[in-house]
Amino acid sequence: MSLLRAALPGPGRLRGAGIPWSILRSYSSASAKKAKSNGTCERTELLQVLKARVKQLQATSVPEVTLTKVELAPLQEVVAPREREESPSRTSSWVEKLKREARIQQLKVEQVSPIIASELALEAKVKNKAQGKVKGKGKKSPKTKTSHAGSPNIHVHGKPTGAAGKEAVTAPGRRVLDNKESSQFKILQQTIQSNLECFAFLQQPEEAERLLLMYHRSAKRKVLNVSAYNIVMRSWARKGRLQRINYLFSMLESAGLQPNLDSYAAALECLGRNPFCTKSIRRYLQQLQHDGFHVDELFQKCLFEEDEKEKVLKAVRMVHPNYQLPPAPSPQTCSSSLLQDFYSREKMVPYPKLDFSVQELQECFQKQLELEMNNTITIESVESSKPLTPQAIKARKLLATLRSQWHDSILQALQKSKYTMSKLKTASKYNELYPYLCLMPGEEYVGIMLEVLNTLSPQGESLSVLAKELGTKVYNRYITRRKLCSGQLEKLRVVYGGYIQLLAKDGQPAKYLPREYWEKLVAEAGFGPSLDLKNCSWSYMLLMRLGMHMLELLVQAVKMPRNILSPRLEPRLIPALYHIYSFRSSSQIGLIKPHPIFCQIMSDAAETTLTFNSSAIPMLCPPVPWTSPHFGAFFLNDTNLMRFVDGAIQHQLLLEQCPLVNLHPVLDALNQLGNCAWKINQPVLDIIISIFNDKGNEKLDIPPPMSEAPKPPALPGNLSALDKAQRHELLLCKKKAAEMHSLRVDALYKLSIANYVRDRVFWFPHNMDFRGRTYPCPPYFNHLGNDVIRAILLFAEGRPLGPKGLDWLKIHLINLTGLKKKNPLQERLEYANEIMEEILDSADHPLTGRKWWMNTDEPWQALACCMEITKASRSPDPAAYISHFPIHQDGSCNGLQHYAALGRDLIGAISVNLMPCDVPQDVYSAVAQQVEEFRRKDAEHGVKIAQVLQGFISRKVVKQTVMTVVYGVTRYGGRLQMEKRLKEIDDFPEEYLWEASHYLVKQVFNSIKEMFSATRDIQNWLTESAKLIAQSGQTVEWVTPLGLPIVQPYYRSRPTVLNCSMQNLSVKSTHSNQKPDTVKQKNAFPPNFIHSLDSTHMMLTALHCLRQGLTFVSVHDCYWTHAVTVDVMNQVCRQQFVALHSEKILQDLSKFMLEKYCSSDRETTAPWQKKLMEQLSNVPKTGEFNLQNVMDSTYFFS
């Protein structure tokens, strides 16, 4: 830092021997007059606080702490140092002052409020040294308590504790500060940085620096990393305050941290805003090179907002006028053996075009952008067609009046809360929520709270759900505002305008993938802000605390007259929301429940509009391609590449540590799925809405309205007089009503969104869970939905049926009926031709004809398929008929297929259709037959329960358990499944349910063990390996064959208690420094590992279908494409399954885990390591099955 030290003006040049940089004073670079005025006011206010604090400290005996008695000196004028070098004559006064402040730093901040210690160190004018020392006796001082997991409540004074209590409180905090790799440590870092980002966003660098100093001058300094200092530097750089930048560099040195590229970028940006600073620029550039960086790296690796990049370049060119920006780095190519052909430039083909012009896609982009800028969208409900009654008109007017009053009262409560918090900033407490309540105008916070109020269920909702929803809504709006303020919008318009050329039918053909083309366009755009924001995520605990605060304001502020519906009652105000407690499972939880009067008004009003977050609606243009773990999908809405449980950050850290090139296959597969355009099947949607608005139909999976809910029995005036049967009946009525309301609202949301986009083309951006399984981002309406939703979705792109397309439509219809599962495809086709009259009648008269379609497994998809077959068969040339209909091909018990392939298990492979057969093999029937054989033998030997079960063992009884064995179901879970199936059989004797289900699950497990011997060996090897890893205190990690890193997020977590005024909220949190949950780690590893393989197979199929020009989407192990391309997709699907399992999957897993968990620098190996090494090295042996047989298996996917 010697070169940099010479460049520092002011106190940086006057550093005395032995005086740390961390306590150097600094003052505003404003005019001397203004600085003098502001400083006097601040110090006067501070002195009042300090006098009160000194009295408190003198009156309190504090053990183990030495306090210096101080006299508060009168204020002296201090002239702010100028931005030029100080004269040597000033040195002695600075050194003397710094020595006095160094004395204050000797306070042990663990025993005194850290904010007071930092205020003393930062601002106090101390004249005389200590006159004596005060030693504490008796009571201990209140300790500073921080909520677990980096809780946002930084300083809350706890109750006095004894010696044991002291150890319990301080030890965890110290462990957190010492373990820098723990998630808890990183969450605390994240919370501090998000606080600083808020102040930077609010253009309050003084507050940001004040908060940074509070940590920098406390025992919590360890939690600060370079990023925290850089945030404050950037904040000052925007104002061109070089002195503050210099001071922060000195703080970095005192903290033992090395400046990084972002630090130098901030310094150079600041210098770029200041003319005549060439000497400082030259010294900073020299220091940058001295620290091992190159100037080019500033523009290659740093993220910029607004005009920051231009200012950095301006500074560089002040000393190097001919400097040119470095060229974009050459794109890296994924080296996976599974995708060598896919990424080969020689075999690259132009990207398939959408059936849209550049102009049309530009208009779609503009609509989507407007939608996201508004954050929310209000749409008409599908119930809006109902006639408006006088009662509804009256109730709506009443609601409008109440909402207007509530708006004003909530706004007033919010302003009062913010005012109270603002006063705490200079007192002995620091309320961290204050900046988060200043990020937007108060009206927006009120709007968010009213949105939540309007959607509250009559049964109420838990505090934790509501708090998370409120906190997340604020965060999403903050991210949108940040992106707009950073200047991203204009650059986004330019880049997306170019990206459209790749997709539009009249755009220039290009041999690029969407990700590659986007990266190329961004590199060519050059100047302007980075489209990828610097990390500014909020911790889960912070979201919960912010949400709880808003919820408390809402409950307190929302009141209504008691006599609003009954004028004869007393006209006093009552709360519209109540906080109550209820039991769910074995836990007591807090609920917010609307008052029955409010529920009645809402019910009478029957409002016909619904408000959603913009991210809940399908996109109206192709999504932004995923280019990194934190950029893709929506334009302004924040979306994670990987979904994870609340509070977990391990997955995101793992993705960020992974080389980006390793993630390219996963990103490209998600982009391919997201680029599929969709449209609505309007005739089917209209039929569904008509039944929905009538009385629903539970058989057809359309929930009835609440008017159809069972009526509770007539109750006496005194509820305590109810007998047990009456109480049970009442409870069942309430439970049924709650279920009906939930199902009805869910269907209402989905159908209303579908109706909103009925005349539009739309897209579903995708992300994935921690195992790599993919999901559409819009949560309500998407193709992963139930039969009703899938029936109303069509591909926007149509393709001619071709010579075999109509046959595939008919086979698909029979598959949907569930009638011919054991028959070959040709027989299914012949059956479809036999029932053509029923098919045509269903299409022509769906609600008035013979209604054949209603008696199928998937009635709505069957009806949609009937309509498509009818239109195609009646067209002049069915082969030329343009079809938009998706045809599905399902894996045959896909989890067992992967196990059989891994173990080369011949018997298992035959059972799950990996071997070619004339008819489809049904593993569920095979297991049922095996179980029946076991039962028959036991019955012959006089086993009573085996005799009772005669005639009751069927495919249906065993199917669910067989299906879920591969996904880790335990015998306990399997028994419950069996019991549920047996209950559905009317003739089965109820008294034998437990014994029979216990017997059956045992026999199912034995059957699978006998039929799939290699499968059980692999499952046991995975389970035992995970058990030993978890027992060693580590979580199970692996990497998929496509390079996606995976970690299991199961810990023995202790809930974190958030102390809120309404109630203490117990929040589950997961941290990598907690002990793994051994049971969950071992039980979940086999199914999670298989899920990661089925997602790998799906992604490989998606990418190679792209190369073949196919439309492809998936619902996990169910693949969709056009009728004309089913045969091509089937071939690709089989090729990629064979290619995947030709890799040494288990051997590679063993090698990875041995390297991760058993490599040690120690000379001696611990016993647990030896055991784990032995287990991991003992990879299960494989059988004789030849994988190439899959290529000829018709029923592998069918």
Side-chain angles (χ1 to χ4, degrees), residues 409-419 437 440-446 449 549-550 553:
S409 59
I410 295 171
L411 184 59
Q412 187 177 358
L414 177 66
Q415 290 169 342
K416 183 179 178 182
S417 170
K418 285 168 61 176
Y419 177 78
L437 295 172
M440 303 178 291
E443 298 279 348
E444 288 206 39
Y445 291 94
V446 175
M449 287 186 259
H549 180 73
M550 293 174 67
L553 293 178

Side-chain angles (χ1 to χ4, degrees), residues 201 238 304-308 310 479-495 527-533 636:
F201 176 75
R238 285 172 195 154
F304 297 101
E305 295 182 23
E306 299 180 66
D307 62 346
E308 293 172 358
E310 287 81 349
I479 290 297
T480 300
R481 282 176 166 268
R482 263 201 69 167
K483 288 182 177 180
L484 292 174
C485 292
S486 71
Q488 281 192 12
L489 197 54
E490 286 310 310
K491 188 167 183 178
L492 195 62
R493 289 182 194 276
V494 172
V495 175
F527 286 117
S530 307
L531 293 180
D532 197 353
L533 269 186
L636 300 176

